Amino acid sequence: MEQIIEIRSLSKNYGDFQALFDVSLGIEKGTIFGLLGPNGAGKSTLIRVLSCQSRPTSGHAIIAGLDVVSRKKDVLSIIGVVPQENSFYDDLTVNENLAYFGSLYRIPGSEIKKRNSNILSMLRLVEKTNSRAGTLSGGMKTRLNIACALVHKPRVLILDEPSVGLDPVSRQALWDTIREVNREGTTILITTHYMQEADALCDRILIMNRGKIVVQGRPGELKDAAGEKVLSITSSPGNYGIIKSGLESIKAIRSCIISDTGLKITLGEEIPVHDIFEVFQTHGEKILGVESSNPSLEDVFIHAAGEAWH
Ligand SMILES: Nc1ncnc2c1ncn2[C@@H]1O[C@H](COP(=O)(O)OP(=O)(O)OP(=O)(O)O)[C@@H](O)[C@H]1O
Ligand SMILES: [Mg+2]
């Protein structure tokens, strides 16, 4: 498969703070690629470099064969960027906004009209064509923000946390929109903090932390690699910090984290029931509940983020 984005040994420093360390990765043409990681991981920094808003300190980023530094103008003509803040004008109508963004790319008027009506129907904004952008609902504004990034038919669409603040229904609708844009042949790069979103949408995901790649692969692969089972255990009085250290010394336990309700343990095939109960007993903890589940992408994420902190 052809790689439409190639990042080679990319580093980025802000003064003497290093935000990206020697990052290399490839994104295949036509795929939906999810960039995940805890706050401050370097996701937006990477996106700013890819969208020519910030220059790398060293290394290269190449989109469709074009270097983002030396061929900036050409790169900007083939990528669409959906920033976290809306980029349209509240006082203009939906249609006027699209026409304005089209004019920035010097697209001829007749072509803009045709293109815009396609975009409006794809993003389900036809009814709002002549409404002022400022009067749209939050979900519609998100869709208009995406529409503005599509007027020049980009080959790559980059979205930085597009689903923040959307209700579950609008979020589902956003996923449908992204899938549809992707079906038209556009490669998608998206950052998100919603694991369910990454799982539902992305062909491949990459988890980074503190400027470094921790793990990447297909969501299914990553879940399989995380372990066979996850046990969620609740106990009383619930001194989870102490129990956690005890559990971490059991060899079969791959990771142990404190969750909202208790402890979450990721295991391989073997479940060392006796050893686990012994740790709780030793610390005078009464087990109140045990639930078993398959690893989710959230477990993968917490494991990956946690590992890099050690
Ligand atoms: N302009 C800047 N000057 C100095 N430091 C910066 C600048 N921009 C980002 N950083 C630092 O670089 C690191 C990575 O920031 P970045 O915004 O890329 O993280 P992120 O993964 O997008 O996080 P979030 O999930 O919170 O959006 C952080 O430690 C941040 O403080
Ligand atoms: Mg960010």
Side-chain angles (χ1 to χ4, degrees):
M1 254 309 235
E2 189 190 332
Q3 297 204 327
I4 193 155
I5 298 182
E6 289 171 67
I7 296 172
R8 299 184 197 138
S9 300
L10 191 89
S11 293
K12 173 72 190 175
N13 290 33
Y14 295 110
D16 51 15
F17 177 80
Q18 191 163 358
L20 293 175
F21 293 81
D22 202 26
V23 170
S24 295
L25 80 107
I27 298 180
E28 281 180 12
K29 192 175 161 191
T31 55
I32 304 183
F33 192 93
L35 191 54
L36 314 181
N39 295 132
K43 305 178 295 296
S44 296
T45 298
L46 189 57
I47 281 185
R48 277 198 295 274
V49 171
L50 288 176
S51 51
C52 310
Q53 298 168 56
S54 161
R55 290 166 78 107
T57 305
S58 61
H60 293 278
I62 313 239
I63 303 184
L66 304 166
D67 187 285
V68 295
V69 176
S70 61
R71 304 287 300 277
K72 178 173 172 175
K73 224 171 130 203
D74 297 319
V75 168
L76 289 174
S77 73
I78 58 158
I79 63 169
V81 184
V82 182
Q84 203 174 324
E85 315 74 38
N86 293 331
S87 49
F88 54 77
Y89 293 95
D90 278 350
D91 291 335
L92 298 182
T93 65
V94 166
N95 206 29
E96 286 165 351
N97 267 298
L98 293 190
Y100 169 72
F101 278 90
S103 71
L104 292 182
Y105 291 99
R106 296 168 199 272
I107 302 169
S110 56
E111 172 71 23
I112 288 186
K113 252 187 161 166
K114 212 170 83 204
R115 176 82 188 141
N116 288 0
S117 80
N118 286 343
I119 292 176
L120 290 176
S121 71
M122 183 161 74
L123 296 187
R124 281 164 289 119
L125 285 169
V126 176
E127 269 175 45
K128 299 289 175 183
T129 306
N130 297 311
S131 305
R132 275 199 316 114
T135 66
L136 301 179
S137 76
M140 289 172 188
K141 282 181 178 165
T142 302
R143 297 210 294 272
L144 177 57
N145 209 23
I146 297 175
C148 293
L150 289 175
V151 288
H152 59 301
K153 290 194 190 172
R155 294 174 63 185
V156 176
L157 182 66
I158 300 175
L159 307 109
D160 199 356
E161 297 191 41
S163 53
V164 168
L166 296 187
D167 68 44
V169 175
S170 305
R171 194 169 296 156
Q172 289 274 358
L174 175 71
W175 299 352
D176 288 343
T177 304
I178 291 174
R179 286 192 190 103
E180 193 157 340
V181 173
N182 177 246
R183 265 197 300 275
E184 298 229 309
T186 311
T187 305
I188 312 271
L189 172 61
I190 178 172
T191 75
T192 177
H193 284 292
Y194 300 105
M195 294 303 121
Q196 207 196 349
E197 175 164 282
D199 207 356
L201 210 52
C202 299
D203 299 305
R204 271 185 94 77
I205 62 164
L206 178 145
I207 301 178
M208 57 189 301
N209 193 7
R210 301 198 166 200
K212 294 179 182 157
I213 296 175
V214 183
V215 64
Q216 62 170 314
R218 296 187 169 274
E221 269 168 25
L222 297 181
K223 284 186 279 187
D224 289 348
E228 296 288 325
K229 274 275 162 271
V230 175
L231 292 184
S232 302
I233 307 181
T234 318
S235 66
S236 170
N239 293 321
Y240 296 122
I242 299 167
I243 320 169
K244 178 174 159 16
S245 335
L247 291 173
E248 277 168 349
S249 62
I250 300 174
K251 218 172 132 227
I253 291 182
R254 298 207 183 157
S255 72
C256 177
I257 57 139
I258 300 173
S259 71
D260 298 343
T261 49
L263 283 168
K264 248 183 164 187
I265 304 169
T266 310
L267 298 144
E269 248 168 79
E270 179 208 348
I271 301 185
V273 180
H274 178 78
D275 296 344
I276 292 174
F277 281 114
E278 199 173 77
V279 171
F280 281 82
Q281 215 168 23
T282 310
H283 296 290
E285 290 279 338
K286 186 169 170 238
I287 293 181
L288 302 175
V290 180
E291 261 178 52
S292 158
S293 59
N294 295 320
S296 66
L297 206 52
E298 189 145 343
D299 298 316
V300 175
F301 180 89
I302 290 169
H303 186 57
E307 227 167 38
W309 268 313
H310 285 167

